[in-house]
Amino acid sequence: MVLAFFAVMLVPTVNYYRTQMAELNELHASIDSLEAQRDDLKAEIARWDDPLYIKQQARERINLVMPGEKLYMVVGDRPKENETDTEANGSTFEVRQELPWVDALLDSVRRSATD
């Protein structure tokens, strides 16, 4: 009878211990990920101490140029990746028959310049 009483009293305690250990493991994993994120942010901050990195970021983000340099900006939409002119003909020497002759001429000049 005494053993049954201790078993009944011990089951909830063991169950509570298991849930607490699972929660503790989750918290340790969370701490590890936050420490990794902290290390990444510290490395990012350290990069900003380098003058070359600052110049690179200024060029990329706000298009800054050094004295004597010229900045060329290409304006317009980029062509879609799945749309190519050479796939329609199979060869750059063929003339696209579905286009009017002026457009076909311009298309062949454009394709000859890119090949």
Side-chain angles (χ1 to χ4, degrees):
M1 181 92 158
V2 173
L3 288 175
F5 176 74
F6 281 122
V8 168
M9 296 302 289
L10 190 63
V11 167
T13 306
V14 170
N15 210 8
Y16 181 72
Y17 175 76
R18 286 182 35 210
T19 58
Q20 291 294 317
M21 289 303 293
E23 185 178 338
L24 186 64
N25 289 336
E26 288 176 11
L27 290 173
H28 282 297
S30 174
I31 288 171
D32 291 341
S33 67
L34 289 173
E35 285 177 348
Q37 184 181 5
R38 181 200 59 203
D39 294 340
D40 291 342
L41 291 173
K42 281 186 177 182
E44 178 75 23
I45 290 170
R47 275 188 252 151
W48 284 98
D49 291 335
D50 184 16
L52 294 176
Y53 182 75
I54 293 172
K55 285 181 184 178
Q56 175 197 8
Q57 292 300 313
R59 288 174 186 262
E60 289 177 3
R61 292 183 183 194
I62 58 175
N63 299 323
L64 206 65
V65 294
M66 297 298 290
E69 292 181 345
K70 291 183 180 178
L71 177 67
Y72 295 100
M73 304 223 21
V74 178
V75 180
D77 294 336
R78 292 183 179 202
K80 295 179 182 173
E81 292 181 17
N82 59 359
E83 182 180 309
T84 58
D85 292 335
T86 57
E87 288 179 359
N89 293 335
S91 171
T92 58
F93 298 107
E94 295 178 9
V95 178
R96 293 176 63 180
Q97 300 296 324
E98 72 274 2
L99 296 175
W101 71 272
V102 174
D103 292 336
L105 177 67
L106 291 174
D107 182 58
S108 65
V109 170
R110 185 181 314 118
R111 281 187 289 135
S112 68
T114 59
D115 290 339

